[in-house]
């Protein structure tokens, strides 16, 4: 049985069914979930039936597509309703997000990078202390987008554990702080996240996930949608990891866990405007933006691991702001190819997405989300207008910003903990000279040189052979010396790296959507003289950074839990190497993290005391946030002009 064939179940329903099980049945729950996964299902309207055995059926009733009450899951076995089957079915089904959607949103909206789980992550700088990860400073590169201070907030220097200080109330000037109920909800989220770190993926079964779902439900009721979303993301990724989903990546679960723990901590300590940001929004707001004159840039296919497909068309306003119009729904790459030639769902425009990428729009009554998505409400009016070439105003101005400034801006958008309401774009607009193909550990990519002498690696946006990305990049790699104007998406790495999305060159008419348009040799200029190019410089300031020694320990905790990290033994050699590279805080965090994982105190009678899960979670969170901040700083520094380029 595929979990996707089951209707989503509300988090509180799953939590209640698991909590009502007897201790004996809870021990059998994970085995019951696995066994139930092998059974066949059938759907009849709003009801999904699972054949538990030859004589017993389990039914999930989902009016509106969601199982919203415990009574909606029924079982025909003799032990029902106190049987393990109902809880197992709820645990096998996807977790539903019952947050209301805005009335004025696009009919089909392009999902965020986190759309598979349905949530985005909050922004927070990384920590810096070893003895107190929330209070010390670090020698992180000054070019980075975030400072190394506290694992949850640059301005928050309170300890991560223990009760948070309560500012004096009763004064009109006192900043708003979290209510006692919100702090209690944050404490429950912290405890649930720490329990996942303690157990690891292998030990975080249905009971541990149920605690996360209960904490997420409570957080949503206490008006903490961001923290609730982070908890549901952790549950979704845990289930993917335990099911062997090929799209699962440990790094994604690391990010989700760090977001959950960091947000829970910030709820307890934040105040004023910071608290409002930490609470988050239950739905994506679309704000009125008056009349807009838009110019098409390009259209890209969108294909997600969850089986969704569609397109995203990028347009720019007369002031240089970037906006998107999307159409994404279940359907995969086949839908992406078909939707590209469908009409844009925006006002009265008859343009298709491909046409809009080269034309223009005049929009009245526009509504825009914080990340630039254009709303498609009834009050929005749009008519076709003249577009502009990439070399004409106002689009030409996008290529005039230095690459280093563009990279710094884009890095704020693609950061692991980017603020979902922070806006901004992850696109870079560059004039490049192609240098040819270069080999990497994972294959090969196209090397190019942009302003400032910076060597950029251009990679394929999507390897699916049905799309044109792969063939186009291969053809471009065979034409060294070609000068192009390109649009790419920043890939955070110790060296400059982009996924190539669109290009244009003087001999072509218009722009080329590299996901849809297939280039031919005749489309590219043929250099009339041999090209003598300087070899690329080393991969950048962070190309050989030993930061990975700390990063891999952070990731190793997630699959096997705290105990596995505690058995690593002496890490002196690793910390010495990190210190020699000028990262003393990273060395200290590695020492403290491993020591905390191995520490088990005893009572007066020599019996082992329970492990300090809060303390370990504190150091793990500090290390996760720290490595993210340093990696982003190194990425930003790699885009700085070279000495040769500066001359």
């Amino acid at each position: 049985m595929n979990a996707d064939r089951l209707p989503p179940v509300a988090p509180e329903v799953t939590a209640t069914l698991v909590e009502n099980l007897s201790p004996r049945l809870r021990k059998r729950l994970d085995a019951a979930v696995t066994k139930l996964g092998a059974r066949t299902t059938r759907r009849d309207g709003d009801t999904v039936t699972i054949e538990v055995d030859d004589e017993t059926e389990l039914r999930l009733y989902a009016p509106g597509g969601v199982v919203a009450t415990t009574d909606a899951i029924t079982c025909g076995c003799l032990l029902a309703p106190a049987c393990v089957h109902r809880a197992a079915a709820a645990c096998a089904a996807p977790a539903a997000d019952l947050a209301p959607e805005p009335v004025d949103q696009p009919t089909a909206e392009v999902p965020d990078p986190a759309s598979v789980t349905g949530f985005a992550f909050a922004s927070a700088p990384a920590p810096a202390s070893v003895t107190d990860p929330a209070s010390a400073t670090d020698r992180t590169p000054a070019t980075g987008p975030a400072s190394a201070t506290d694992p949850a907030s640059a301005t928050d220097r309170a300890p991560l554990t223990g009760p948070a200080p309560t500012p004096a109330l009763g004064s009109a000037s006192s900043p708003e702080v979290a209510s006692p109920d919100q702090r209690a909800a944050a404490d429950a989220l912290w405890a649930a996240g720490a329990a996942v770190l303690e157990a690891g993926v292998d030990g975080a079964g249905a009971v541990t996930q149920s605690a996360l779902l209960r904490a997420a439900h409570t957080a949503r009721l206490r008006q903490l949608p961001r923290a609730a979303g982070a908890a549901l993301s952790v549950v979704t990724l845990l289930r993917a990891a335990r099911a062997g989903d090929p799209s699962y990546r440990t790094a994604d679960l690391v990010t989700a866990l760090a977001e959950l723990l960091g947000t829970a901590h910030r709820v307890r300590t934040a105040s004023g405007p910071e608290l409002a940001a930490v609470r988050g929004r239950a739905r994506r707001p679309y704000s009125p933006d008056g009349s807009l004159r838009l110019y098409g840039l390009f259209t890209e296919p969108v294909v997600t691991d969850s089986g969704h497909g569609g397109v995203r068309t990028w347009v720019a306003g007369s002031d240089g702001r970037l906006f998107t119009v999307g159409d994404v729904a279940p359907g995969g790459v086949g839908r992406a190819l078909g939707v590209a030639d469908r009409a844009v769902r925006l006002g009265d425009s008859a343009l298709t997405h491909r046409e809009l990428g080269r034309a223009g729009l005049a929009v009245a009554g526009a509504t825009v989300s914080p990340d630039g998505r254009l709303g498609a409400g009834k009050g929005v009016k749009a008519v076709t207008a003249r577009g502009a070439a990439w070399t004409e105003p106002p689009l030409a101005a996008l290529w005039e910003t230095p690459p280093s400034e563009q990279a710094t801006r884009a890095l704020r958008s693609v950061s692991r903990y980017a603020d979902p309401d922070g806006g901004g774009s992850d696109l870079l607009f560059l004039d490049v000279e192609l240098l040819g193909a270069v080999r990497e550990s994972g294959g090969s990519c196209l090397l190019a040189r942009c302003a400032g002498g910076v060597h950029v690696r251009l990679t394929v946006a999507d390897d699916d052979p049905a799309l044109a990305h792969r063939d186009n990049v291969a053809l471009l790699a065979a034409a060294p010396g070609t000068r192009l104007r390109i649009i790419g998406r920043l890939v955070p790495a110790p060296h400059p790296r982009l996924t190539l999305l669109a290009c244009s060159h003087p001999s072509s008419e218009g722009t080329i959507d590299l996901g849809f348009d297939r280039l031919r040799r005749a489309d590219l200029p043929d250099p009339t003289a041999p090209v003598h190019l300087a070899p690329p410089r080393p991969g950048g300031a962070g190309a050989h950074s030993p930061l990975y020694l700390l990063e891999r320990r952070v990731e190793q905790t997630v699959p096997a839990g705290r105990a596995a990290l505690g058995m690593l033994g002496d890490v002196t050699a690793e910390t010495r190497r990190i210190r020699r590279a000028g990262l003393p805080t990273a060395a200290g965090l590695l020492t403290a993290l491993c020591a905390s994982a191995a520490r088990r105190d005893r009572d007066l009678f020599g019996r082992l005391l329970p492990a300090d899960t809060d303390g370990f979670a504190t150091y793990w969170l500090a290390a996760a946030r720290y490595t993210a901040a340093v990696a982003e700083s190194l990425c930003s520094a790699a885009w700085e002009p070279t000495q040769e380029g500066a001359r």
Side-chain angles (χ1 to χ4, degrees):
M1 176 187 66
N2 192 330
D4 294 337
R5 297 175 59 185
L6 298 180
V9 178
E12 64 272 22
V13 171
T14 303
T16 300
L17 290 173
V18 174
E19 291 164 359
N20 289 341
L21 291 177
S22 65
R24 179 179 64 86
L25 290 181
R26 288 190 187 185
K27 294 179 180 179
R28 297 172 50 189
L29 181 56
D30 288 331
V33 173
T34 302
K35 184 177 180 180
L36 206 62
R39 310 305 297 178
T40 59
T41 65
R42 64 177 184 273
R43 180 181 292 272
D44 182 12
D46 292 333
T47 302
V48 175
T49 303
I50 305 173
E51 297 179 359
V52 178
D53 54 40
D54 294 339
E55 300 178 354
T56 306
E57 291 184 339
L58 181 68
R59 292 184 175 88
L60 291 83
Y61 178 57
V66 175
V67 178
T69 64
T70 56
D71 294 338
I73 302 179
T74 60
C75 183
C77 72
L78 296 177
L79 296 178
C83 63
V84 73
H85 302 132
R86 298 171 67 221
C91 292
D97 178 17
L98 300 182
E101 290 296 329
V103 175
D104 185 14
Q105 69 168 12
T107 307
E109 183 174 304
V110 180
D112 294 312
S115 64
V116 176
T117 56
F119 305 101
F121 300 130
S123 173
S129 172
V130 177
T131 56
D132 182 1
S135 62
T137 58
D138 189 22
R139 302 176 182 176
T140 347
T143 55
S147 63
T149 51
D150 177 52
S153 170
T155 58
D156 180 8
R157 297 175 179 265
L160 285 174
T161 56
T166 305
L169 301 178
S171 169
S173 60
S174 297
E176 181 187 10
V177 297
S179 68
D181 285 345
Q182 288 178 329
R183 295 189 182 195
D187 290 341
L189 287 167
W190 175 277
V196 173
L197 280 179
E198 176 70 18
V201 170
D202 295 339
V207 175
T208 301
Q209 295 168 26
S210 171
L212 275 169
L213 293 173
R214 174 61 69 192
H217 175 62
T218 303
R220 191 172 295 282
L221 294 179
R222 301 291 183 263
Q223 306 302 313
L224 299 174
R226 176 175 292 183
L232 289 181
S233 294
V234 172
V235 172
T236 301
L237 290 167
L238 282 174
R239 291 178 175 177
R242 293 173 63 85
D245 189 335
S247 65
Y248 165 77
R249 294 172 61 250
T250 300
D252 293 337
L253 185 51
V254 169
T255 300
L257 273 170
E259 164 62 12
L260 170 61
L261 294 171
T263 304
H265 164 62
R266 293 175 68 194
V267 167
R268 297 182 295 181
T269 58
S271 61
E274 183 188 358
L275 177 61
V278 173
R279 283 172 175 163
R281 300 177 184 269
R283 57 185 182 178
R284 182 183 302 278
Y286 280 79
S287 304
D289 207 340
S291 298
L292 296 174
R293 179 66 170 89
L294 304 176
Y295 300 86
L297 281 166
F298 73 100
T299 300
E300 63 171 321
V302 177
V303 182
T304 70
D305 292 333
S306 62
H308 289 68
V311 296
R312 178 194 290 117
T313 299
W314 289 83
V315 296
S318 55
D319 57 356
R321 286 189 298 161
L322 299 181
F323 305 91
T324 60
V325 182
D327 187 345
V328 175
V333 68
R335 187 177 189 279
L337 293 171
V339 169
D341 293 317
R342 293 184 188 175
V344 174
R345 296 167 177 172
L346 188 66
D348 301 323
S349 172
L351 292 174
T352 66
H353 280 274
R354 297 289 308 282
E355 292 170 343
L356 175 59
R358 296 171 172 83
L361 277 180
V363 183
T367 58
V368 184
S369 70
D371 61 356
R373 302 184 192 187
L374 292 169
K378 295 180 179 179
V380 179
K381 306 298 181 183
V383 295
T384 303
R386 177 186 175 276
W390 287 3
T391 55
E392 300 175 354
L395 299 184
L398 296 172
W399 279 264
E400 296 174 359
T401 304
S404 59
E405 295 183 20
Q406 293 191 51
T408 300
R409 178 209 66 215
L411 194 57
R412 290 193 293 268
S413 175
V414 300
S415 169
R416 298 183 201 175
Y417 309 104
D419 186 348
D421 289 336
S425 164
D426 56 0
L427 300 184
L428 269 69
F429 303 83
L430 304 177
D431 288 310
V432 302
E433 182 180 16
L434 302 183
L435 304 183
V438 294
R439 289 195 172 274
E440 297 183 315
S441 58
S444 62
C445 67
L446 173 60
L447 188 68
R449 181 170 54 198
C450 66
V454 177
H455 290 85
V456 186
R457 302 188 183 204
L458 306 176
T459 62
V460 175
D462 194 310
D463 273 325
D464 195 306
L467 301 174
H469 289 295
R470 187 172 60 184
D471 293 339
N472 286 337
V473 171
L475 184 59
L476 291 172
T482 302
R483 296 181 181 273
L484 297 176
R485 176 158 281 194
I486 67 169
I487 300 177
R489 176 167 288 114
L490 179 70
V491 177
H495 51 264
R497 192 177 190 89
L498 300 176
T499 55
L500 192 56
L501 301 174
C503 71
S504 174
H505 59 78
S507 64
S508 69
E509 297 181 1
T511 61
I512 300 170
D513 298 330
L514 293 174
F516 294 112
D517 301 323
R518 293 190 178 272
L519 289 169
R520 296 171 299 176
R521 176 74 63 177
D523 294 325
L524 299 175
D526 186 15
T528 58
V531 181
H532 301 284
L533 301 171
R537 63 170 175 164
H544 306 291
S545 170
L547 185 65
Y548 76 92
L549 296 173
L550 178 59
E551 288 178 326
R552 72 178 183 182
R553 300 309 181 194
V554 170
E555 289 198 0
Q556 283 175 348
T557 306
V558 172
R562 176 196 56 79
L565 193 64
M567 294 187 293
L568 290 177
D570 187 21
V571 292
T572 303
E574 295 181 5
T575 57
R576 186 182 301 115
R577 181 179 173 187
I578 294 174
R579 288 184 188 278
R580 285 200 301 265
L583 297 171
T585 299
L589 279 172
L590 178 58
T591 300
L593 179 65
C594 294
S596 178
R599 184 180 301 120
R600 289 297 301 273
D601 296 329
R602 297 179 181 271
D603 61 14
L604 295 176
F605 300 98
R607 295 171 298 192
L608 282 174
L609 295 173
D612 181 12
T613 56
D614 281 350
F616 177 72
T618 299
Y619 283 114
W620 183 89
L621 172 60
R625 291 291 178 117
Y626 172 87
T627 55
V630 174
E632 290 161 9
S633 297
L634 294 173
C635 175
S636 179
W639 283 89
E640 293 296 325
T642 64
Q643 293 181 355
E644 294 81 2
R647 290 197 295 267

